[in-house]
Amino acid sequence: MTFTTKAWETIEPIYNDILNMPFIIELQNGSLPIEKFQFYMLQDAKYLEHFGRVLAAIGSKSEDNQQAIDFFEFGKNALIVERALHESYFEDFGLSPNIIIETQPVCHHYSHFLKSTVAFEPIEIALAAVLPCFWIYKEVGDEIIKNQAKENNPYQKWIDTYSGNEFGEGVRKAKTYVDKIADGATEKIKEQMLEAFVKASELEYRFWDASYKNITWERK
């Protein structure tokens, strides 16, 4: 059994919870309130700033030249391509692209989990930690496309991005690199890889949940 097969089996309960959470169900049918999607987009814009740098850091640590090139490219996509999607959504949904965004608790936790992992843990663990952001988004996008019935969904651009072939190719590459590096890892490292994969998957759930529930820093 490959590492990614075992990892996905481990997080299947989390993934099923994601598919059944109100944010995803309402995104799929187009009924998600605009303010919840605005919250999500603003936090995701901040997250991608960190995620792109994490991917570039993985590239800088990669001994395989092709892996390094691909992760630099993944980082560029996070910082430029997906950011462009956000900017178009900012316009579509009445948000200024120059708005000052405060990073809220779950986004802060997730971003710094990834940054600390790539900074202080072996590259094997960092690769496992970033994989859920690729893989879960692709699976969710595909699931929505398969089941959506509503035409003129206001969130169709988001859905099309993450169910698209180009994004799917990036997911395939990322999974291949994780399996390849896991094959040469010790059992202890593989345990830590799985722990990081599960933690990141849980944070994917919490990211959408925080957007739906408007979870912000509590101030007295």
Side-chain angles (χ1 to χ4, degrees):
M1 179 184 295
T2 65
F3 174 84
T4 57
T5 299
K6 179 179 180 181
W8 191 262
E9 288 181 355
T10 303
I11 63 102
E12 274 189 352
I14 298 172
Y15 176 65
N16 289 331
D17 285 344
I18 288 172
L19 291 182
N20 289 292
M21 66 194 311
F23 188 97
I24 298 302
I25 291 172
E26 293 175 17
L27 181 74
Q28 176 178 304
N29 63 32
S31 67
L32 182 68
I34 185 174
E35 64 272 12
K36 298 183 186 299
F37 192 72
Q38 287 174 329
F39 184 104
Y40 162 77
M41 291 303 294
L42 290 170
Q43 293 306 296
D44 202 36
K46 291 299 291 184
Y47 168 82
L48 285 172
E49 292 177 12
H50 297 287
F51 189 58
R53 287 165 173 78
V54 168
L55 296 174
I58 290 175
S60 71
K61 290 185 172 185
S62 299
E63 295 181 359
D64 181 309
N65 286 340
Q66 187 58 54
Q67 177 177 299
I69 291 169
D70 284 336
F71 273 86
F72 288 140
E73 185 71 14
F74 295 156
K76 184 189 78 172
N77 288 342
L79 289 167
I80 299 175
V81 178
E82 295 189 59
R83 178 60 175 169
L85 173 65
H86 286 173
E87 288 176 351
S88 70
Y89 262 119
F90 286 178
E91 182 178 351
D92 292 345
F93 292 99
L95 294 168
S96 168
N98 299 316
I99 189 172
I100 298 174
I101 306 170
E102 180 181 9
T103 304
Q104 299 299 341
V106 174
C107 179
H108 182 276
H109 185 173
Y110 195 3
S111 300
H112 285 76
F113 164 69
L114 295 179
K115 290 170 76 175
S116 63
T117 299
V118 76
F120 299 112
E121 301 293 349
I123 189 172
E124 294 91 341
I125 300 170
L127 282 167
V130 299
L131 184 57
C133 188
F134 288 92
W135 196 357
I136 289 176
Y137 265 59
K138 175 59 177 169
E139 294 294 331
V140 168
D142 287 348
E143 190 70 17
I144 290 175
I145 283 287
K146 184 172 67 177
N147 294 296
Q148 75 175 150
K150 179 182 174 62
E151 296 182 0
N152 301 317
N153 189 322
Y155 308 116
Q156 195 64 47
K157 194 183 299 182
W158 185 96
I159 295 166
D160 290 342
T161 295
Y162 293 110
S163 61
N165 291 333
E166 184 176 354
F167 188 75
E169 178 61 17
V171 174
R172 185 196 66 77
K173 286 182 180 180
K175 289 169 62 180
T176 298
Y177 286 130
V178 171
D179 279 331
K180 181 179 178 181
I181 206 165
D183 285 343
T186 66
E187 289 303 315
K188 179 64 174 177
I189 289 293
K190 283 190 277 193
E191 289 175 9
Q192 292 174 294
M193 289 174 68
L194 185 60
E195 181 180 351
F197 184 88
V198 172
K199 174 58 67 177
S201 300
E202 177 65 28
L203 286 165
E204 286 292 332
Y205 172 90
R206 292 187 180 276
F207 198 98
W208 281 314
D209 187 57
S211 299
Y212 197 82
K213 295 177 179 176
N214 193 40
I215 296 175
T216 60
W217 299 106
E218 293 185 6
R219 295 187 176 92
K220 294 183 179 179

